Each structure stands twice: as structure tokens, then as C-alpha cells.
Amino acid sequence: MDDCIFCKIIKGDIPCTKVWEDSETFAFLSTNPNNHGHTLVVPKKHFRNIFDMDEHSVTSLALATQKIARGVYKGVKAEGVNIIMNNEAPAGQAVFHAHIHIIPRFTNDGLHSWNKSTPYQEDEKEQIAEQIFNNVA
Ligand code: 5GP
Ligand code: ZN
């Protein structure tokens, strides 16, 4: 992808602060970190997000994410981490090259994740679970 910022970072055409890489995966610090050590884990192959990734690429991204999460957790002496993937713009995706956020967390660090609860009406739960089940692919 010629105009993809993360493809350019992986190729070395745009500088980054690299954390780790292997043959399929590249990890670097976010330029706009939620906490210090906020790391982005990306497949070297270009995908838009979770929906167009193949099984092998999802597997290798997940395995790399676990290893790098351990590195983040110990490396910045975090008390926890959030592992987040934003998929499509309404979910917060701004860069359309698939990536996982590893965000170090500390007690009372002021980050608030999802703070809204949307209760179900009667019978809604079963219907929604069935709709999801029918579309698992
Ligand atoms: P999204 O909102 O797409 O899930 O996350 C995009 C992430 O990429 C954010 O953490 C943002 O700070 C980071 N980011 C955007 N542009 C650059 C860049 O040029 N270099 C680096 N290192 N991170 C970037
Ligand atoms: Zn890309």
C-alpha cells in the first residue's frame, strides 16, 4: 500500500521508535501515547483491520502481541495492560493498517475505558446472540 503510513514505517521510509520485530510482525511506540510505553503491534503485510486478515496472520499477530505485552508490562513496570484493536472509524480506527494497541496501565492513571452501559430489553439478548452466531465466519 503506497500511501499507508504504517507500511512506510515498516519499510523504514518514515522513522519510528522500534520496539521489536520478527519476520511477520513489527512493533513500535505510538507517537500519541495514552501512557508511556504505549506500543503498536502490526502485521508486516498490509491489512485494513481484523475483518480482512487471514487465519495465519491473526495467529502470528496474537502470539507476538502476547510476547510484547509481557515486555511492556515488565519494561515500564506497569501494573496492567489494555490490549485493544480499533476496527473501522466508528470504533476509533484512524490508521487503516491493522494494529493492536498495548497500553500500560497504572492505578489511578486517569484513563477511562468504556464507561457506558446499554441495558437490554426483554428477549433482546437471545435475539442478538443468535444474530451474532449466524454471522460468525
Ligand atoms: P487507531 O486510532 O487507528 O487505532 O490508532 C492509531 C495509532 O497510531 C495511535 O496510537 C496514533 O498515535 C498512532 N500513530 C499515528 N500516526 C503515527 C506515526 O506516524 N508514527 C507512530 N509511531 N504512531 C502513529
Ligand atoms: Zn499498510
Side-chain angles (χ1 to χ4, degrees), residues 15-67:
C16 74
T17 307
K18 185 171 104 177
V19 169
W20 188 84
E21 78 175 301
D22 67 10
S23 58
E24 297 180 72
T25 312
F26 195 87
F28 53 100
L29 295 182
S30 169
T31 44
N32 191 17
N34 293 119
N35 273 325
H36 287 182
H38 180 164
T39 299
L40 303 173
V41 187
V42 309
K44 287 188 172 175
K45 192 173 165 192
H46 180 91
F47 297 99
R48 177 179 174 87
N49 54 36
I50 192 74
F51 298 121
D52 63 341
M53 290 182 71
D54 60 76
E55 195 171 313
H56 175 86
S57 299
V58 171
T59 303
S60 54
L61 186 65
L63 292 174
T65 297
Q66 185 192 33
K67 288 183 196 171

Side-chain angles (χ1 to χ4, degrees), residues 33-38 72-73 76-84 102-114:
N34 293 119
N35 273 325
H36 287 182
H38 180 164
V72 171
Y73 184 53
V76 302
K77 296 184 168 47
E79 296 169 85
V81 298
N82 287 125
I83 294 175
I84 296 171
I102 302 174
I103 303 172
R105 297 301 305 269
F106 305 89
T107 306
N108 297 323
D109 63 9
L111 286 182
H112 299 289
S113 315
W114 298 275

Side-chain angles (χ1 to χ4, degrees), residues 5-6 9 14-17 28-34 38-40 84-87 91-97 99-101:
I5 193 163
F6 285 180
I9 286 174
I14 293 180
C16 74
T17 307
F28 53 100
L29 295 182
S30 169
T31 44
N32 191 17
N34 293 119
H38 180 164
T39 299
L40 303 173
I84 296 171
M85 186 176 195
N86 298 326
N87 296 284
Q93 185 174 13
V95 177
F96 290 89
H97 180 128
H99 55 280
I100 307 273
H101 296 255

Side-chain angles (χ1 to χ4, degrees), residues 120-131:
Y120 292 106
Q121 304 295 321
E122 287 286 302
D123 297 335
E124 249 184 348
K125 278 204 294 278
E126 287 68 24
Q127 190 193 342
I128 289 171
E130 191 181 341
Q131 284 168 215

